[in-house]
Amino acid sequence: MKIQRNSVTEPIVLVPGSNATQYRFDPLIRDINKREKTPHSLLRVLVHKNYTISYSGAIKKGERQPFIVIAFEDNKDGFKNGRLQEIT
């Protein structure tokens, strides 16, 4: 039988758009953390062109709403990287 568990963690996942880096949301996160009694922790995940990942930061134990930024090294749109396809 499948065991269900109630998670106390509700991460805020942020994904930067085209041409944006893993630091895109730094001003937003900084502003939010200034207003909070206890700042949110931050984990940055970078997906590389070869599909490996690296990360920096950490989620503090017991953190209820950590920020998780998932960014892509290949963050450009266009024909050169195969992101745009001809519509037929």
Side-chain angles (χ1 to χ4, degrees), residues 15-22 45-52 70-84:
V15 181
S18 299
N19 299 318
T21 70
Q22 59 187 325
V45 178
L46 180 61
V47 181
H48 297 277
K49 290 179 183 179
N50 66 0
Y51 304 108
T52 61
I70 303 172
F72 296 85
E73 183 179 40
D74 186 6
N75 62 1
K76 311 273 189 286
D77 285 335
F79 289 106
K80 189 173 184 178
N81 66 7
R83 295 286 182 240
L84 293 178

Side-chain angles (χ1 to χ4, degrees), residues 30-45:
R30 197 169 26 255
D31 286 346
I32 290 171
N33 278 339
K34 280 182 190 176
R35 299 174 187 173
E36 298 288 324
K37 186 177 179 179
T38 304
H40 299 266
S41 49
L42 171 61
L43 175 67
R44 296 182 212 276
V45 178

Side-chain angles (χ1 to χ4, degrees), residues 56-87:
S56 62
I59 298 174
K60 292 180 271 185
K61 186 175 182 174
E63 172 78 42
R64 189 175 174 296
Q65 287 188 309
F67 288 109
I68 301 174
V69 177
I70 303 172
F72 296 85
E73 183 179 40
D74 186 6
N75 62 1
K76 311 273 189 286
D77 285 335
F79 289 106
K80 189 173 184 178
N81 66 7
R83 295 286 182 240
L84 293 178
Q85 296 179 3
E86 186 178 332
I87 300 172

